[in-house]
Amino acid sequence: MALRHISSLALMAMLALYLAGAAGSASAAIEVRTFDDPVMEQRFDDLSATLRCPKCENQAIGDSNSPIAADMRERVYQQLQEGRSDKEIIDFMVQRFGDYVLYNPRLEGRTLLLWGLPGALILVGALVVAVLVRSRRNMRAAELSDEERRRLDALIGADDMAGERHSHKEGK
């Protein structure tokens, strides 16, 4: 009984150490920046969320633990402290790392297809649907030839006569 109690205490102690270590490593991964101005801090957070880590897969530099993301955050922090505008900081990052660092590519001549293609595809799809609906509305049933009409009348007449015979037999 005492051995069982000691083993459960040891297990709980190991779990507490593991959780403390995990919490410590998570908090140590991304450094904390101090700002005197809350607006500057918000700008830093916005820029860190806007810029993509070039090494990580679809992760903002503010969320990444990679060394390059830490360097980028440091560069953003320094440039904010130097009084640069958000556009200047973003331009610097694009110049250094390419357009990949932007989650939302800029609207330029070479990105026009990227921005315009979804709208163009929706427009083309709507046109195709409109043409199909209109053509079905205009579609008329083909007129029957005289031979087909006589044959149809004969079939309908034969069904009517068969129906009358059937009703007479039941009427007896």
Side-chain angles (χ1 to χ4, degrees):
M1 184 75 156
L3 183 61
R4 191 174 190 187
H5 184 68
I6 290 173
S7 66
S8 66
L9 283 176
L11 183 63
M12 288 176 57
M14 288 175 43
L15 181 63
L17 285 173
Y18 173 75
L19 290 175
S25 67
S27 65
I30 296 178
E31 65 282 350
V32 177
R33 304 279 180 200
T34 56
F35 292 91
D36 296 333
D37 185 9
V39 174
M40 188 82 78
E41 184 175 357
Q42 184 62 44
R43 285 179 59 204
F44 177 78
D45 291 342
D46 291 344
L47 287 168
S48 295
T50 302
L51 297 170
R52 183 187 327 210
C53 174
K55 184 178 178 184
C56 308
E57 200 166 304
N58 207 17
Q59 199 171 20
I61 63 171
D63 300 331
S64 174
N65 294 331
S66 75
I68 193 165
D71 290 344
M72 292 173 75
R73 284 191 303 269
E74 178 64 27
R75 183 65 79 164
V76 168
Y77 180 75
Q78 288 174 354
Q79 291 189 4
L80 282 172
Q81 295 300 320
E82 293 170 1
R84 295 193 180 189
S85 70
D86 292 355
K87 184 180 181 326
E88 289 173 331
I89 295 170
I90 290 174
D91 288 344
F92 173 80
M93 291 295 179
V94 168
Q95 185 181 17
R96 185 164 185 163
F97 298 103
D99 286 332
Y100 178 79
V101 297
L102 298 175
Y103 272 114
N104 293 322
R106 297 176 179 159
L107 183 59
E108 298 172 341
R110 60 191 169 123
T111 60
L112 198 57
L113 185 63
L114 178 69
W115 285 101
L117 188 60
L121 288 176
I122 289 172
L123 185 64
V124 168
L127 284 173
V128 167
V129 168
V131 166
L132 288 175
V133 167
R134 189 172 182 174
S135 69
R136 286 193 175 225
R137 281 187 184 164
N138 293 336
M139 188 184 309
R140 296 185 180 173
E143 294 290 326
L144 295 177
S145 67
D146 290 338
E147 175 64 29
E148 291 170 333
R149 186 168 302 278
R150 272 185 260 132
R151 190 169 168 206
L152 182 62
D153 288 341
L155 288 173
I156 291 173
D159 280 348
D160 287 344
M161 292 179 71
E164 287 177 15
R165 274 187 250 140
H166 184 70
S167 64
H168 285 297
K169 286 182 182 177
E170 289 180 355
K172 285 186 180 177

